[in-house]
Amino acid sequence: MAEYVLGIDIGGTNTKFGLVDREGNVKDEGHFPTQADADINAFLSLLETHISHLIADNQVIGAGVGAPNGNYYKGTIEHAPNLNWGEIVEFRELFQEKFKIPVALTNDANAAALGEMLFGGAKGMKDFVLFTLGTGLGSGIVVDGKLVYGYSGMAGEIGHVSVNPDGRHCACGRKGCLETYVSATGIKRTVSKLMADYTRPSVLRDVPYNQIDGKVITDAAKNHDYIAIKAFEYTGKILGQKLADTVLHTSPKTIFLFGGLVKAGEYLLDPAKHYMEEKMFKPFKNMVDLRPSSLMDKNAAVLGAAALGWTEFDKVAP
Amino acid sequence: MAEYVLGIDIGGTNTKFGLVDREGNVKDEGHFPTQADADINAFLSLLETHISHLIADNQVIGAGVGAPNGNYYKGTIEHAPNLNWGEIVEFRELFQEKFKIPVALTNDANAAALGEMLFGGAKGMKDFVLFTLGTGLGSGIVVDGKLVYGYSGMAGEIGHVSVNPDGRHCACGRKGCLETYVSATGIKRTVSKLMADYTRPSVLRDVPYNQIDGKVITDAAKNHDYIAIKAFEYTGKILGQKLADTVLHTSPKTIFLFGGLVKAGEYLLDPAKHYMEEKMFKPFKNMVDLRPSSLMDKNAAVLGAAALGWTEFDKVAP
């Protein structure tokens, strides 16, 4: 009987799940609204209605969970800004009590990095970094074939390095964090600022702030919209500079970019590569490959969460 | 018969060596001018006169070498700005040919981190970072009990993260690198700038630029010299901000500071701690210990280089 890991990705809006085999095939996928404003027990009851039959009917060796601010060591979700379940949620304990299977927890970007390593473009790669450009900017760092958890269990929060100590307000309470510039939200803020700074016409001036997203900006850029192209350049420049800084820490072979914004392709990647190399410390020049995640069009969130489970609970693999 | 590792630290000015046993006891220490302007063969001949009898008379299981821009994987010294031996020196090959003992090579800051782990304050510690504040700023990163070499073999170059893209000229050819602010040279540049910006009297105005060093500034600070105190505050502030950024990458338990400048004690450490915590991402607040290396008053360069050898060649230790 085939073995599976149950992958669960908890987002501020939706929770996704699915059974993933050792080769990365996904079955019985599903999703439901997270109800981030209810309490954790309500969430677990809701989860139960979706997954209990999967656990009963399959050989499930464990669950892997990706969640905002998930702490790998403690199995807790800590200070998650998008989940109103309390400051510190004892997720692992509550989950195991209810579902009686082993569970491991980390944040969604760390899970995505594990997914890339087990099932994506980082197979067999020892040293790489993955950035997820979503509402915020998450990152997962792999060193010598292992995900870096660090002393706290929460390593890899590159979205909060400082771009400008007096810069944009960040959801974390500080100012000028990388994710306030480089993320789906960040580029929207950049568009808003550029519309204030310049007088050039732009189709983006006819779209309400709350409806501007990566796709709208990409479409505008493809039509040679000045503001849109400038917004990608600005975003790519800041990203590139911080990628060069990132390389100085753990010297990755490849940096993977993941998330809807990355679908903009060359509009984001070209300036990011250009400025990464321009700012690169000489010994690392022309050495780092920057490319989109190869899981972009798959159920990456579930694959990543499941990859954590396979890493933790698989007793067969080498 | 006791076993030893030969530790060799190659600096731009002096080369230090010594035999180090498994417990970190050093014997037969020595040093000589590196002759960085001669060629590598002249250096190796000079080295031979100092160490050949040590190898002949003792049970030496191998040598560990710390050198600027030492590449662990390739055994090369690459683009070392202070050594005029060529762009890429095949150090490991040349050394083994001459001395017939195994040798491992890394940069001096990585070696210092290994020294801290085997013989200093990081014994038994899984995750930490060490900064060396000398002419430049070096760093060694340890994750899960292992030094991070990365894909290139040269990870941990935090001295070259960007403080200000339009800032001070750096020896690496770029501008605004951390080490142009936070190092013995960096604080000297800061003193020079502060003397230009302010009119306050200072004993430092009577010292030529080339004679200002960490000790002179520390002594002035102890005498309540405004410029000196302000220079430490400025240095500590930039250091603290970048320590907070460093924590976001690998989440160390402790950050060790090493080097002559660290002897300034509270003048440097107090502002560094203050601004590190002020800038710290909330989940990491009050979690990271910042403290001086415990090898400050020992032959740390030789201990560090030897620690690399013990890590590589010791077949007895667990």
Side-chain angles (χ1 to χ4, degrees), chain A residues 158-300:
Chain A
I158 304 175
H160 295 278
V161 299
S162 177
V163 171
N164 173 2
D166 301 313
R168 296 176 181 174
H169 286 244
C170 183
C172 78
R174 300 177 310 152
K175 282 184 190 174
C177 295
L178 179 58
E179 73 170 30
T180 67
Y181 300 90
V182 180
S183 64
T185 317
I187 195 168
K188 191 159 76 171
R189 295 170 82 165
T190 297
V191 163
S192 195
K193 180 178 185 305
L194 291 172
M195 292 197 298
D197 288 348
Y198 293 89
T199 56
R200 296 271 195 121
S202 166
V203 295
L204 300 169
R205 295 191 192 273
D206 294 318
V207 186
Y209 181 90
N210 277 335
Q211 286 176 30
I212 293 174
D213 60 17
K215 190 175 177 320
V216 170
I217 307 171
T218 304
D219 289 346
K222 284 180 183 163
N223 285 317
H224 314 289
D225 188 282
Y226 181 82
I227 297 290
I229 290 170
K230 198 117 183 141
F232 274 116
E233 273 175 17
Y234 184 81
T235 307
K237 180 174 184 175
I238 293 176
L239 174 58
Q241 291 173 335
K242 289 301 173 183
L243 293 180
D245 274 3
T246 295
V247 169
L248 293 164
H249 288 258
T250 56
S251 182
K253 179 181 197 299
T254 301
I255 297 175
F256 294 93
L257 299 181
F258 180 86
L261 196 56
V262 184
K263 293 192 176 143
E266 67 202 80
Y267 292 104
L268 181 69
L269 281 167
D270 285 357
K273 276 184 191 171
H274 174 81
Y275 287 104
M276 178 177 85
E277 286 301 338
E278 183 178 290
K279 293 289 171 184
M280 192 71 82
F281 184 49
K282 191 176 172 188
F284 299 115
K285 263 196 196 292
N286 302 310
M287 187 186 274
V288 180
D289 186 22
L290 177 65
R291 60 181 211 245
S293 160
S294 69
L295 299 181
M296 288 279 286
D297 297 317
K298 299 185 178 176
N299 195 336

Side-chain angles (χ1 to χ4, degrees), chain B residues 168 189-200 205 226-227 230 234:
Chain B
R168 297 177 180 174
R189 295 170 82 166
T190 297
V191 162
S192 195
K193 182 180 185 303
L194 292 172
M195 291 196 299
D197 287 349
Y198 293 89
T199 56
R200 295 272 195 122
R205 296 191 191 271
Y226 181 82
I227 297 290
K230 197 117 183 141
Y234 185 80

Side-chain angles (χ1 to χ4, degrees), chain A:
Chain A
M1 194 174 171
E3 288 183 322
Y4 295 95
V5 163
L6 178 60
I8 303 171
D9 175 73
I10 304 174
T13 310
N14 283 303
T15 292
K16 299 172 188 169
F17 60 88
L19 291 174
V20 179
D21 70 14
R22 190 175 277 108
E23 279 72 45
N25 302 301
V26 189
K27 70 167 193 175
D28 297 334
E29 294 165 80
H31 59 92
F32 58 89
T34 299
Q35 300 197 355
D37 289 328
D39 79 350
I40 177 67
N41 290 309
F43 172 80
L44 289 171
S45 295
L46 193 56
L47 183 63
E48 189 175 23
T49 64
H50 287 92
I51 67 167
S52 56
H53 66 285
L54 299 182
I55 297 172
D57 299 346
N58 293 278
Q59 190 165 342
V60 177
I61 66 165
V65 176
N69 292 19
N71 186 313
Y72 170 74
Y73 295 134
K74 298 191 204 152
T76 50
I77 298 175
E78 304 189 2
H79 315 292
N82 303 320
L83 301 174
N84 201 19
W85 297 343
E87 279 296 278
I88 297 186
V89 179
E90 302 283 348
F91 187 89
R92 184 169 61 203
E93 200 178 308
L94 294 167
F95 184 97
Q96 286 184 170
E97 211 167 86
K98 194 166 197 93
F99 297 106
K100 317 289 182 199
I101 57 171
V103 61
L105 175 78
T106 189
N107 74 46
D108 38 354
N110 281 349
L114 288 172
E116 202 70 41
M117 185 159 61
L118 262 66
F119 307 126
K123 268 183 201 167
M125 208 178 274
K126 288 281 190 189
D127 297 278
F128 71 92
V129 178
L130 179 139
F131 286 82
T132 62
L133 309 183
T135 310
L137 187 157
S139 60
I141 302 171
V142 170
V143 165
D144 202 18
K146 292 203 300 193
L147 190 73
V148 177
Y149 291 107
Y151 174 64
S152 65
M154 301 175 80
E157 288 285 358
I158 304 175
H160 295 278
V161 299
S162 177
V163 171
N164 173 2
D166 301 313
R168 296 176 181 174
H169 286 244
C170 183
C172 78
R174 300 177 310 152
K175 282 184 190 174
C177 295
L178 179 58
E179 73 170 30
T180 67
Y181 300 90
V182 180
S183 64
T185 317
I187 195 168
K188 191 159 76 171
R189 295 170 82 165
T190 297
V191 163
S192 195
K193 180 178 185 305
L194 291 172
M195 292 197 298
D197 288 348
Y198 293 89
T199 56
R200 296 271 195 121
S202 166
V203 295
L204 300 169
R205 295 191 192 273
D206 294 318
V207 186
Y209 181 90
N210 277 335
Q211 286 176 30
I212 293 174
D213 60 17
K215 190 175 177 320
V216 170
I217 307 171
T218 304
D219 289 346
K222 284 180 183 163
N223 285 317
H224 314 289
D225 188 282
Y226 181 82
I227 297 290
I229 290 170
K230 198 117 183 141
F232 274 116
E233 273 175 17
Y234 184 81
T235 307
K237 180 174 184 175
I238 293 176
L239 174 58
Q241 291 173 335
K242 289 301 173 183
L243 293 180
D245 274 3
T246 295
V247 169
L248 293 164
H249 288 258
T250 56
S251 182
K253 179 181 197 299
T254 301
I255 297 175
F256 294 93
L257 299 181
F258 180 86
L261 196 56
V262 184
K263 293 192 176 143
E266 67 202 80
Y267 292 104
L268 181 69
L269 281 167
D270 285 357
K273 276 184 191 171
H274 174 81
Y275 287 104
M276 178 177 85
E277 286 301 338
E278 183 178 290
K279 293 289 171 184
M280 192 71 82
F281 184 49
K282 191 176 172 188
F284 299 115
K285 263 196 196 292
N286 302 310
M287 187 186 274
V288 180
D289 186 22
L290 177 65
R291 60 181 211 245
S293 160
S294 69
L295 299 181
M296 288 279 286
D297 297 317
K298 299 185 178 176
N299 195 336
V302 167
L303 279 172
L308 172 63
W310 277 112
T311 306
E312 295 295 307
F313 306 125
D314 189 8
K315 303 292 178 275
V316 180

Side-chain angles (χ1 to χ4, degrees), chain B residues 74-139:
Chain B
K74 299 189 202 154
T76 50
I77 298 176
E78 305 189 1
H79 316 293
N82 303 319
L83 300 175
N84 201 19
W85 298 343
E87 278 296 278
I88 296 187
V89 179
E90 301 284 348
F91 187 88
R92 184 170 61 203
E93 202 177 306
L94 294 167
F95 183 97
Q96 284 184 173
E97 213 167 84
K98 195 167 197 89
F99 298 107
K100 316 290 183 199
I101 57 170
V103 60
L105 176 78
T106 190
N107 75 45
D108 38 354
N110 282 349
L114 288 172
E116 201 72 39
M117 185 159 60
L118 261 66
F119 307 127
K123 268 183 202 167
M125 208 179 272
K126 289 281 190 189
D127 297 278
F128 70 94
V129 179
L130 178 138
F131 286 82
T132 62
L133 309 184
T135 309
L137 186 156
S139 59

Side-chain angles (χ1 to χ4, degrees), chain B residues 36-206:
Chain B
D37 289 328
D39 78 348
I40 176 67
N41 290 310
F43 172 80
L44 289 171
S45 296
L46 192 58
L47 184 63
E48 190 176 22
T49 65
H50 287 91
I51 67 167
S52 56
H53 66 284
L54 299 183
I55 297 172
D57 299 345
N58 293 278
Q59 190 165 340
V60 178
I61 66 165
V65 176
N69 291 19
N71 186 313
Y72 170 74
Y73 295 134
K74 299 189 202 154
T76 50
I77 298 176
E78 305 189 1
H79 316 293
N82 303 319
L83 300 175
N84 201 19
W85 298 343
E87 278 296 278
I88 296 187
V89 179
E90 301 284 348
F91 187 88
R92 184 170 61 203
E93 202 177 306
L94 294 167
F95 183 97
Q96 284 184 173
E97 213 167 84
K98 195 167 197 89
F99 298 107
K100 316 290 183 199
I101 57 170
V103 60
L105 176 78
T106 190
N107 75 45
D108 38 354
N110 282 349
L114 288 172
E116 201 72 39
M117 185 159 60
L118 261 66
F119 307 127
K123 268 183 202 167
M125 208 179 272
K126 289 281 190 189
D127 297 278
F128 70 94
V129 179
L130 178 138
F131 286 82
T132 62
L133 309 184
T135 309
L137 186 156
S139 59
I141 303 171
V142 170
V143 165
D144 202 18
K146 292 202 303 194
L147 190 72
V148 178
Y149 291 107
Y151 174 65
S152 66
M154 302 174 79
E157 287 286 357
I158 305 175
H160 294 277
V161 299
S162 177
V163 171
N164 174 3
D166 302 314
R168 297 177 180 174
H169 287 245
C170 184
C172 79
R174 301 177 309 152
K175 283 183 189 173
C177 295
L178 179 59
E179 73 171 29
T180 69
Y181 300 91
V182 180
S183 64
T185 317
I187 195 169
K188 190 158 74 169
R189 295 170 82 166
T190 297
V191 162
S192 195
K193 182 180 185 303
L194 292 172
M195 291 196 299
D197 287 349
Y198 293 89
T199 56
R200 295 272 195 122
S202 166
V203 294
L204 300 169
R205 296 191 191 271
D206 294 317

